[in-house]
Amino acid sequence: MSVAFLLVANIASAFTIRYYNKDSKSYTMEVRSNGSTQKIEFSSSTTSSASVQTSAGEVEIKTSCGWVKVKDSSKIVIKDGCITIE
Protein backbone atom coordinates (compact mmCIF):
# COMPACT_ATOMS: atom_id res chain seq x y z
CA MET A 1 0.00 0.00 0.00
CA SER A 2 2.75 2.51 0.85
CA VAL A 3 4.64 1.69 -2.38
CA ALA A 4 1.55 2.57 -4.43
CA PHE A 5 1.23 5.85 -2.54
CA LEU A 6 4.87 6.71 -3.28
CA LEU A 7 4.36 6.03 -6.99
CA VAL A 8 1.30 8.28 -7.13
CA ALA A 9 3.11 11.01 -5.19
CA ASN A 10 6.07 10.80 -7.59
CA ILE A 11 3.85 11.01 -10.68
CA ALA A 12 2.10 14.10 -9.36
CA SER A 13 5.30 15.94 -8.45
CA ALA A 14 6.03 19.39 -9.81
CA PHE A 15 9.12 20.39 -11.72
CA THR A 16 10.03 23.96 -10.76
CA ILE A 17 11.84 26.46 -12.95
CA ARG A 18 13.01 29.72 -11.40
CA TYR A 19 13.24 32.42 -14.03
CA TYR A 20 14.04 36.05 -14.73
CA ASN A 21 12.33 37.35 -17.86
CA LYS A 22 14.24 40.44 -19.00
CA ASP A 23 11.79 41.03 -21.86
CA SER A 24 8.72 43.25 -21.62
CA LYS A 25 6.81 40.43 -23.30
CA SER A 26 5.27 37.34 -21.69
CA TYR A 27 6.00 33.99 -23.31
CA THR A 28 4.08 30.72 -23.52
CA MET A 29 6.52 27.97 -24.43
CA GLU A 30 6.17 24.28 -25.18
CA VAL A 31 7.74 21.88 -22.67
CA ARG A 32 8.60 18.24 -23.43
CA SER A 33 9.07 15.62 -20.72
CA ASN A 34 8.59 11.87 -20.53
CA GLY A 35 7.24 11.82 -24.10
CA SER A 36 4.47 14.35 -23.51
CA THR A 37 4.18 18.08 -24.10
CA GLN A 38 2.74 20.88 -21.98
CA LYS A 39 2.69 24.67 -22.12
CA ILE A 40 4.39 26.91 -19.59
CA GLU A 41 3.96 30.67 -19.21
CA PHE A 42 6.70 33.12 -18.28
CA SER A 43 5.42 36.55 -17.22
CA SER A 44 7.02 39.70 -18.64
CA SER A 45 9.73 41.72 -16.88
CA THR A 46 9.73 39.68 -13.69
CA THR A 47 11.54 37.18 -11.52
CA SER A 48 9.32 34.26 -10.57
CA SER A 49 8.88 30.49 -10.66
CA ALA A 50 6.93 28.29 -13.02
CA SER A 51 5.93 24.66 -12.52
CA VAL A 52 5.37 21.68 -14.80
CA GLN A 53 3.67 18.48 -13.66
CA THR A 54 6.21 15.72 -14.37
CA SER A 55 8.31 13.14 -12.58
CA ALA A 56 11.28 13.86 -14.88
CA GLY A 57 14.48 15.42 -13.58
CA GLU A 58 14.98 17.34 -16.83
CA VAL A 59 12.66 18.91 -19.40
CA GLU A 60 13.15 20.51 -22.80
CA ILE A 61 11.70 23.95 -23.49
CA LYS A 62 11.09 25.18 -27.03
CA THR A 63 12.22 28.78 -27.53
CA SER A 64 12.59 30.95 -30.61
CA CYS A 65 16.29 29.98 -30.46
CA GLY A 66 15.59 26.21 -30.37
CA TRP A 67 15.13 23.54 -27.70
CA VAL A 68 16.86 24.04 -24.33
CA LYS A 69 17.34 21.29 -21.70
CA VAL A 70 16.55 22.49 -18.18
CA LYS A 71 17.04 20.55 -14.94
CA ASP A 72 14.66 20.68 -11.99
CA SER A 73 15.15 23.78 -9.77
CA SER A 74 17.35 25.45 -12.40
CA LYS A 75 17.41 29.22 -12.67
CA ILE A 76 17.00 30.54 -16.20
CA VAL A 77 17.15 33.96 -17.84
CA ILE A 78 14.91 34.86 -20.76
CA LYS A 79 16.21 37.54 -23.14
CA ASP A 80 14.87 38.19 -26.64
CA GLY A 81 12.78 35.01 -26.37
CA CYS A 82 15.84 32.83 -25.76
CA ILE A 83 16.75 30.95 -22.58
CA THR A 84 20.13 30.81 -20.87
CA ILE A 85 20.78 28.79 -17.72
CA GLU A 86 22.50 30.49 -14.81
Side-chain angles (χ1 to χ4, degrees), residues 30-81:
E30 185 178 338
V31 179
R32 279 194 307 214
S33 68
N34 294 335
S36 66
T37 59
Q38 300 177 50
K39 300 282 184 184
I40 191 168
E41 185 171 333
F42 299 104
S43 299
S44 62
S45 304
T46 191
T47 299
S48 189
S49 294
S51 296
V52 177
Q53 294 300 315
T54 183
S55 60
E58 182 177 81
V59 298
E60 290 183 290
I61 302 174
K62 185 177 183 180
T63 72
S64 58
C65 299
W67 289 93
V68 178
K69 290 184 180 182
V70 179
K71 293 183 180 185
D72 192 13
S73 299
S74 291
K75 183 176 181 187
I76 64 171
V77 175
I78 302 167
K79 175 79 171 130
D80 299 324

